[in-house]
């Protein structure tokens, strides 16, 4: 009996053999196709979910850092305005605008005063715009230089002079960027009054500080950001931002644009004292959030692939049995 059973088990399967091979191929194809489709669907879904989430986080983070840089520039202007206020509301300055006392010039228009306040320009003006006295200093080389011709041109122009002169009300203030051929200048202009802040107003005091490379580097150190100021016609400005300038649309908007797989940049237009676009501010950042998102996506796909391969192996073994 045992001999007959061994003969039966060892006999060839005949016509059923190809059927089993076809079934095996069908099972393997089904498992492989299902696995590939599953991984593809999960990858696409993960890209939409994780990619969109991390892209939003990256854009928000870049925008916030651009606004940090803008706030740092505003704080710089506030400090300049505060220094100008100390000089504009001062009895000695109030008297100097009227009598032009040379001792006031000798005592206060020193290089040390400019260096201490980090000023490139101090200018006293009478109510009609006549210059009582002014001085300009090259801070880097610590030497006196002529008053910028670009500023004098603004003061000679009636419309520009009416903006720069602060002679109407004691509470008037003006601060911002003034574009000059010599370079962009941060200015603070205030009416000249007594130490008690009373009038009548005797003129305007203007403090100026060039927004040069040294100033930009200081802002970068303060904010721990990589900052660049670009002219409006620079090819480094995105076309969308230049379109914003030409279309006079929302100039306060921040434009975010990836530069590469490892760097991203945020852009913002800066306006001048006349309310017109003056410069483009660019902040460059490493794409840490993007890299983290890509690492998370790769880990997720590897995990799903491993689980799918394990389940496929189990299904195949069960099918074989």
């Amino acid at each position: 009996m045992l001999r007959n059973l061994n003969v039966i088990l060892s006999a060839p399967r005949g016509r059923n053999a190809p059927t089993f091979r076809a079934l095996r191929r069908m099972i393997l194809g089904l498992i492989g196709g299902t696995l590939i489709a599953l991984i593809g669907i999960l990858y696409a879904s993960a890209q939409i979910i994780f990619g969109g989430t991390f892209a939003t986080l990256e854009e928000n983070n870049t925008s916030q850092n651009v606004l940090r840089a803008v706030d740092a520039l505003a704080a710089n202007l506030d400090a300049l305005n505060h220094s100008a206020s100390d000089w504009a509301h001062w009895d000695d300055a109030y008297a100097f605008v009227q009598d032009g006392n040379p001792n006031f010039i000798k005592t206060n228009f020193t290089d040390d005063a400019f260096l201490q306040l980090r000023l490139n320009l101090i200018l006293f003006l009478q109510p009609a715009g006549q210059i009582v006295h002014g001085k300009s200093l090259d801070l880097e080389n610590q030497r006196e230089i002529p008053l910028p011709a670009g500023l004098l041109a603004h003061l000679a122009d009636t419309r520009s002079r009416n903006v720069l002169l602060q002679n109407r009300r004691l509470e008037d203030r003006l601060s911002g960027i003034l574009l000059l051929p010599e370079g962009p200048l941060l200015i603070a202009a205030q009416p000249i009054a007594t130490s008690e802040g009373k009038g009548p107003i005797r003129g305007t005091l203007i403090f100026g500080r060039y927004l040069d490379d040294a100033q930009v580097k200081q802002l970068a150190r303060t904010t721990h950001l990589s900052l660049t100021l670009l002219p409006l016609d620079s090819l480094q400005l995105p076309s969308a931002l230049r379109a914003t300038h030409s279309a006079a649309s929302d100039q306060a908007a921040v434009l975010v644009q990836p530069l590469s797989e490892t760097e991203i940049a945020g852009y913002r237009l800066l306006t001048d004292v006349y309310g017109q676009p003056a410069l483009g501010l660019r902040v460059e950042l490493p794409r840490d959030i993007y890299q983290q998102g890509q690492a998370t996506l790769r880990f997720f796909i590897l995990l799903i692939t491993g689980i799918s391969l394990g389940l496929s192996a189990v299904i195949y073994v069960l099918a074989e049995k």
Side-chain angles (χ1 to χ4, degrees):
M1 181 176 179
L2 291 175
R3 182 172 174 271
N4 293 334
L5 180 61
N6 289 332
V7 172
I8 294 172
L9 292 175
S10 60
R13 299 179 184 273
R15 290 179 301 176
N16 291 330
T19 303
F20 285 117
R21 286 195 296 270
L23 181 61
R24 183 181 289 109
R25 286 195 299 269
M26 184 180 68
I27 292 174
L28 289 174
L30 183 61
I31 292 174
T34 303
L35 179 61
I36 293 173
L38 177 63
I39 293 175
I41 292 173
L42 289 174
Y43 179 77
S45 301
Q47 277 282 26
I48 295 173
I49 297 172
F50 290 125
T53 301
F54 281 102
T56 301
L57 289 174
E58 182 180 54
E59 184 172 349
N60 291 339
N61 178 69
T62 304
S63 297
Q64 288 173 4
N65 279 290
V66 172
L67 295 179
R68 276 180 55 205
V70 173
D71 289 342
L73 182 59
N76 202 289
L77 277 171
D78 286 342
L80 186 65
N81 218 11
H82 182 74
S83 298
S85 178
D86 290 341
W87 278 53
H89 295 167
W90 182 20
D91 287 339
D92 290 354
Y94 190 71
F96 168 70
V97 176
Q98 191 170 37
D99 59 26
N101 185 358
N103 288 330
F104 182 88
I105 298 174
K106 183 178 180 180
T107 304
N108 298 287
F109 280 80
T110 64
D111 291 353
D112 288 340
F114 278 74
L115 293 171
Q116 183 178 1
L117 295 172
R118 294 187 297 112
L119 292 177
N120 294 103
L121 173 74
I122 298 178
L123 193 61
F124 280 88
L125 300 165
Q126 291 182 348
Q130 299 92 335
I131 297 176
V132 178
H133 187 73
K135 178 179 177 179
S136 185
L137 188 75
D138 181 347
L139 294 178
E140 184 176 354
N141 299 309
Q142 298 185 19
R143 62 183 180 86
E144 186 173 353
I145 56 177
L147 291 173
L151 177 60
L152 299 180
H154 278 271
L155 292 173
D157 180 77
T158 303
R159 295 180 62 183
S160 300
R161 184 171 64 247
N162 289 337
V163 174
L164 296 177
L165 294 180
Q166 301 295 300
N167 299 322
R168 295 185 178 89
R169 299 176 303 173
L170 289 169
E171 60 270 21
D172 283 347
R173 302 285 185 276
L174 177 69
S175 62
I177 300 172
L178 187 64
L179 280 184
L180 303 177
E182 296 82 1
L185 184 72
L186 296 178
I187 69 165
Q190 296 204 15
I192 299 173
T194 67
S195 297
E196 296 179 352
K198 296 181 179 180
I201 297 171
R202 285 188 176 174
T204 300
L205 169 69
I206 295 179
F207 274 11
R209 179 185 300 149
Y210 281 113
L211 194 55
D212 53 14
D213 291 340
Q215 186 65 29
V216 173
K217 288 179 180 178
Q218 183 185 9
L219 289 173
R221 287 193 298 269
T222 302
T223 57
H224 303 286
L225 295 171
S226 176
L227 306 179
T228 308
L229 289 178
L230 301 170
L232 295 179
D233 58 355
S234 172
L235 295 178
Q236 297 182 55
L237 279 180
S239 56
L241 196 72
R242 284 187 268 119
T244 299
H245 156 53
S246 59
S249 56
D250 186 8
Q251 297 162 6
V254 175
L255 176 66
V256 178
Q257 187 177 78
L259 301 178
S260 65
E261 290 291 314
T262 58
E263 289 186 326
I264 192 169
Y267 301 85
R268 165 82 179 267
L269 286 178
L270 302 177
T271 56
D272 61 13
V273 293
Y274 306 115
Q276 298 299 314
L279 296 167
L281 171 66
R282 181 175 68 184
V283 177
E284 296 181 29
L285 298 167
R287 301 191 69 180
D288 295 334
I289 296 177
Y290 172 79
Q291 298 295 338
Q292 182 62 43
Q294 292 299 306
T296 301
L297 183 60
R298 287 192 295 268
F299 175 78
F300 176 77
I301 294 302
L302 288 174
L303 179 63
I304 294 300
T305 302
I307 293 174
S308 300
L309 289 173
L311 290 175
S312 300
V314 172
I315 293 172
Y316 178 74
V317 171
L318 293 175
E320 282 289 303
K321 289 185 178 182

